[in-house]
């Protein structure tokens, strides 16, 4: 990846006493009482901060949290609890600084957390005046927030235009290196697993992956639309009939490359979809008008698990059934465990995917778990992420 890396900057420059502005992604889930329900993203940001502290930098870190109204302080979106958790994790006090735009007092070997950057007017619109103001606070800008790399905002993009030195932090580098390896030099066969309720939300991903992968396993409502496009019975399942031609086009793209989308031979159905629904297994040909397809069947799971077990590289985004309900969770669980048990390199991302990984406790069995939701999806679509684009322009 042709961008400046913080690790290389530290090797070549003395950053002691340098003011460093770090854009992290600490947009963590918050409980109703304001407490943090999952601090994964906070923990992921620590290596970058410690790297800078170990080399004597004066460190300023900021992040967004939720979607506050710009220009209005709202305690609900304050980073106060994050500063407290960060202090415990790092083992030193991390003061929370409010109203930081016009200046920050921070010493060498100290780290401060700057209040929610989205409180600042012009953050989301990448305002030039705001970007220049933020850039004036530091000597070095570090982007370590892959989760916001698809956003062209003042702290993810604008600031990089006006600092002398801009680079990527270790978390961002690790994410990009993992993604680059998958698309540029994957061990074959390359298998993609794409689940979710609608083709429309994943259409660009499906099209992009269809040009690259050897096999693409589809599940959830996405599978239903593909089945419909092949004139297979789908009962009263969730289908996007208007996208059946797109599904056929994707199948044809893969067929011409010698690749394919394996279609299940059996599925788990019900007459409705809730926690009390009665589930039953049906062969595809036996699906009736009153059936809803809600998960993969056992015979299909065996076939798909075999594909995964023989893969060289795996991309996973999205559940393969309504896994929130136990009776419709076997497909997602079985595929998740197959990924965990394979020797293939795997990368997984997306909110529902992470929920499944946590549910089945296989975090340490996935090669790389992406911290970026929207950014991960846009990368899979083949889009160039603005925050990466600007770092490329700032290459020394």
């Amino acid at each position: 990846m042709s961008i400046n890396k913080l690790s290389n900057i530290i090797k070549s420059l003395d950053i002691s006493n340098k003011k460093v502005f770090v854009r992290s992604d600490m947009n963590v889930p918050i409980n109703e009482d304001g407490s943090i329900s999952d601090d994964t993203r906070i923990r992921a940001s620590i290596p970058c901060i410690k790297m800078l502290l170990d080399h004597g930098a004066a460190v300023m870190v900021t992040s967004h949290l939720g979607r506050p109204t710009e220009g209005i302080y709202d305690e609900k979106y304050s980073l106060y609890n994050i500063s407290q958790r960060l202090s415990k994790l790092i083992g030193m006090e991390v003061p929370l600084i409010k109203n930081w735009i016009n200046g920050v007092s921070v010493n060498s070997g100290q780290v401060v957390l700057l209040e929610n950057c989205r409180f600042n007017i012009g953050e989301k619109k990448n305002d030039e005046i705001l970007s220049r103001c933020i850039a004036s606070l530091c000597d070095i800008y570090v982007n370590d927030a892959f989760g916001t790399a698809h956003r062209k905002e003042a702290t993810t993009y604008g600031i990089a235009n006006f600092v002398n030195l801009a680079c990527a932090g270790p978390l961002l580098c690790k994410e990009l290196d993992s993604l680059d390896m998958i698309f540029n030099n994957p061990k074959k066969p390359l298998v993609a697993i794409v689940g979710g309720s609608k083709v429309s939300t994943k259409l660009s991903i499906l099209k992009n992956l269809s040009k690259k992968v050897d096999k693409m396993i589809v599940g959830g409502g996405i599978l239903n639309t593909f089945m419909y496009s092949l004139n297979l019975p789908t009962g009263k399942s969730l289908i996007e009939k208007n996208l059946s031609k797109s599904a056929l086009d994707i199948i044809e793209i893969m067929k011409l490359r010698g690749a394919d989308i394996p279609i299940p031979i059996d599925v788990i159905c019900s007459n409705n979809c809730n926690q009390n629904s009665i589930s039953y297994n049906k062969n595809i040909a036996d699906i009736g008008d009153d059936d809803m397809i809600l998960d993969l069947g056992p015979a299909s799971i065996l076939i798909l698990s075999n594909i995964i077990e023989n893969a060289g590289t795996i991309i996973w985004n999205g559940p393969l059934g309504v896994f929130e309900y136990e009776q419709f969770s076997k497909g997602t669980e079985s595929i998740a465990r197959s990924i965990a048990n394979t020797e293939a390199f795997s990368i997984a991302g997306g909110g529902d995917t992470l929920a499944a990984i946590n549910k089945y406790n296989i975090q340490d069995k996935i090669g790389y778990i992406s911290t970026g939701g929207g950014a991960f999806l846009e990368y899979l679509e083949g889009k160039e992420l603005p925050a990466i684009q600007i770092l490329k322009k700032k290459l020394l």
Side-chain angles (χ1 to χ4, degrees), residues 91-314:
M92 64 186 295
E93 183 183 3
V94 182
L96 179 65
I97 309 298
K98 298 180 180 179
N99 305 316
W100 48 269
I101 288 300
N102 295 316
V104 178
S105 177
V106 56
N107 299 317
S108 174
Q110 181 186 14
V111 55
V112 296
L113 182 63
L114 308 181
E115 184 59 282
N116 195 330
C117 57
R118 286 189 179 170
F119 285 164
N120 299 322
I121 297 175
E123 166 66 18
K124 295 196 72 174
K125 292 185 177 180
N126 187 36
D127 179 77
E128 181 176 335
I129 295 176
L130 175 63
S131 298
R132 286 181 179 274
C133 192
I134 297 173
S136 70
L137 300 176
C138 65
D139 301 300
I140 302 171
Y141 165 66
V142 181
N143 190 330
D144 203 36
F146 180 79
T148 59
H150 60 312
R151 304 294 188 191
K152 193 173 183 178
E153 300 177 351
T155 58
T156 63
Y157 185 94
I159 180 178
N161 281 305
F162 307 111
V163 293
N164 291 326
L165 185 53
C167 62
L171 180 62
L172 180 58
C173 289
K174 186 176 181 182
E175 188 101 31
L176 293 176
D177 288 345
S178 297
L179 289 167
D180 280 352
M181 182 180 72
I182 276 186
F183 286 116
N184 297 326
N185 190 32
K187 182 179 179 182
K188 296 285 191 171
L190 173 56
V191 177
I193 302 160
V194 183
S197 59
K198 294 183 178 181
V199 170
S200 55
T201 61
K202 303 281 180 77
L203 183 59
S204 296
I205 294 173
L206 293 165
K207 285 181 176 179
N208 189 47
L209 291 178
S210 70
K211 302 170 187 176
K212 303 176 185 297
V213 304
D214 300 301
K215 288 189 180 292
M216 184 154 60
I217 296 170
V218 295
I222 292 174
L223 169 63
N224 302 339
T225 299
F226 274 84
M227 288 176 56
Y228 177 82
S229 74
L230 294 170
N231 295 317
L232 296 171
T234 53
K236 60 178 184 180
S237 306
L238 174 65
I239 298 168
E240 291 178 287
K241 295 181 179 180
N242 61 314
L243 290 178
S244 61
K245 184 181 183 305
S246 296
L248 283 176
D249 289 343
I250 290 168
I251 291 171
E252 185 62 22
I253 288 170
M254 296 194 68
K255 184 178 179 180
L256 291 173
R257 294 177 47 247
D260 73 301
I261 297 177
I263 300 299
I265 58 175
D266 67 337
V267 290
I268 300 299
C269 298
S270 182
N271 297 130
N272 48 55
C273 182
N274 58 59
Q275 62 183 0
N276 298 316
S277 298
I278 298 173
S279 63
Y280 41 87
N281 180 223
K282 279 199 170 186
N283 292 326
I284 295 297
D286 298 329
I287 295 172
D289 293 341
D290 200 38
D291 292 325
M292 296 176 68
I293 302 169
L294 299 170
D295 196 12
L296 299 171
S300 298
I301 288 173
L302 285 175
I303 294 170
L304 298 178
S305 294
N306 185 61
I307 291 173
I308 291 169
E309 288 166 8
N310 289 285
T313 309
I314 300 167

Side-chain angles (χ1 to χ4, degrees), residues 25-99:
D25 180 13
M26 301 186 194
N27 184 34
V28 295
I30 302 294
N31 297 317
E32 289 186 9
D33 63 358
S35 62
I36 298 167
S37 63
D38 182 355
D39 66 359
T40 300
R41 285 182 171 176
I42 300 175
R43 291 178 180 275
S45 70
I46 290 176
C48 179
I49 297 170
K50 284 191 172 181
M51 184 184 296
L52 290 165
L53 291 175
D54 288 345
H55 288 82
V59 187
M60 300 169 281
V61 185
T62 194
S63 173
H64 74 287
L65 180 65
R67 298 180 178 180
T69 301
E70 289 187 0
I72 300 176
Y73 172 81
D74 187 338
E75 188 176 346
K76 176 182 177 182
Y77 298 108
S78 172
L79 303 187
Y80 175 75
N81 284 341
I82 292 175
S83 72
Q84 298 302 296
R85 182 66 60 88
L86 194 57
S87 298
K88 291 180 180 178
L89 292 172
I90 292 181
M92 64 186 295
E93 183 183 3
V94 182
L96 179 65
I97 309 298
K98 298 180 180 179
N99 305 316

